[in-house]
Amino acid sequence: SQQGEEDPQALSIQEGENATMNCSYKTSINNLQWYRQNSGRGLVHLILIRSNEREKHSGRLRVTLDTSKKSSSLLITASRAADTASYFCATGASADGLTFGKGTHLIIQP
Amino acid sequence: NAGVTQTPKFQVLKTGQSMTLQCAQDMNHEYMSWYRQDPGMGLRLIHYSVGAGITDQGEVPNGYNVSRSTTEDFPLRLLSAAPSQTSVYFCASSISGRGYQETQYFGPGTRLLVL
């Protein structure tokens, strides 16, 4: 069963605006990761945040983690057309690997 | 480094046929895994390996076999293909045997259509 659930399922914004995606999960985790997938391609790792961390930054990306609410958010600032992709959260909780959500499809309008 | 490579990129099978999806990595990673991605379902773990000679089942292992005779290779075998196995298959690897604690490096995927 899938642990992480992203919200919204789809998001369309204008270039230059900020995009926020949320992820909720059900059980205790060791870490939470965000991945990007361009159409027809493999997944690319964006950020890993561990359960004892609350916020992480990488370039235009900001990830927060609230373990009390079992939720995470991914913020992409100053969006670009190249950010158009699907974004997945994945939780690492046990030895059998990551559990992925269904993804948020982000469209950046020029 | 080539990273994680997968072959073939696309395959069409008839129901009942068997085939092997190849996955190789040149990063000396211990952990390797196979996922399938279906529309609206995200990725689901099929099998994984924490090192050569060690494999285990993931969330959806039925109909698939794996082996890990070398660190580099982790083939996925479909014994008797079924239409329900139509999907995109991704192989991934990470540095140590604790794959769930680490960044996963994904291959480009294999699109499989079972008629």
Side-chain angles (χ1 to χ4, degrees):
Chain A
S1 62
Q2 282 160 311
Q3 155 116 282
E5 290 292 338
E6 293 89 345
D7 174 63
Q9 291 185 342
L11 179 62
S12 180
I13 61 174
Q14 295 295 122
E15 193 168 15
E17 294 180 337
N18 295 343
T20 300
M21 288 159 268
N22 301 296
C23 172
S24 59
Y25 58 92
K26 298 175 183 175
T27 63
S28 296
I29 60 172
N30 173 277
N31 67 87
L32 187 143
Q33 305 182 31
W34 285 92
Y35 288 81
R36 183 187 74 233
Q37 184 180 35
N38 292 94
S39 181
R41 309 291 290 273
L43 278 74
V44 174
H45 179 260
L46 297 176
I47 286 185
L48 182 153
I49 185 167
R50 302 205 180 274
S51 59
N52 61 353
E53 297 176 308
R54 292 297 169 258
E55 188 170 311
K56 255 188 145 172
H57 296 256
S58 177
R60 295 183 294 112
L61 306 180
R62 172 179 169 250
V63 168
T64 61
L65 178 64
D66 187 335
T67 53
S68 66
K69 295 181 179 179
K70 292 186 170 57
S71 67
S72 173
S73 67
L74 170 66
L75 169 67
I76 303 174
T77 60
S79 63
R80 305 167 181 170
D83 294 328
T84 293
S86 291
Y87 292 82
F88 295 88
C89 70
T91 52
S94 65
D96 57 356
L98 298 178
T99 303
F100 284 82
K102 297 179 182 180
T104 291
H105 185 51
L106 175 65
I107 297 174
I108 308 299
Q109 307 276 8
Chain B
N1 287 351
V4 180
T5 58
Q6 292 183 237
T7 56
K9 291 184 179 179
F10 182 71
Q11 183 72 46
V12 179
L13 290 179
K14 293 181 180 178
T15 297
Q17 288 184 318
S18 63
M19 80 160 293
T20 299
L21 280 65
Q22 302 292 344
C23 173
Q25 51 89 12
D26 61 357
M27 299 174 284
N28 202 32
H29 285 178
E30 290 195 39
Y31 183 93
M32 296 186 74
S33 57
W34 277 101
Y35 291 87
R36 61 178 288 174
Q37 184 177 32
D38 301 297
M41 291 294 294
L43 277 77
R44 292 181 291 171
L45 182 66
I46 305 171
H47 285 284
Y48 66 98
S49 168
V50 299
I54 305 170
T55 64
D56 209 340
Q57 297 180 351
E59 180 186 355
V60 288
N62 292 343
Y64 307 96
N65 276 358
V66 292
S67 60
R68 185 95 179 270
S69 57
T70 67
T71 299
E72 295 79 18
D73 301 298
F74 190 43
L76 178 71
R77 297 184 187 85
L78 281 69
L79 304 176
S80 179
S84 61
Q85 294 179 304
T86 292
S87 188
V88 182
Y89 292 84
F90 289 100
C91 180
S93 71
S94 63
I95 294 174
S96 82
R98 297 180 180 179
Y100 71 102
Q101 295 184 4
E102 300 172 340
T103 297
Q104 299 290 305
Y105 296 84
F106 281 83
T110 293
R111 291 183 176 274
L112 177 66
L113 175 61
V114 182
L115 302 175

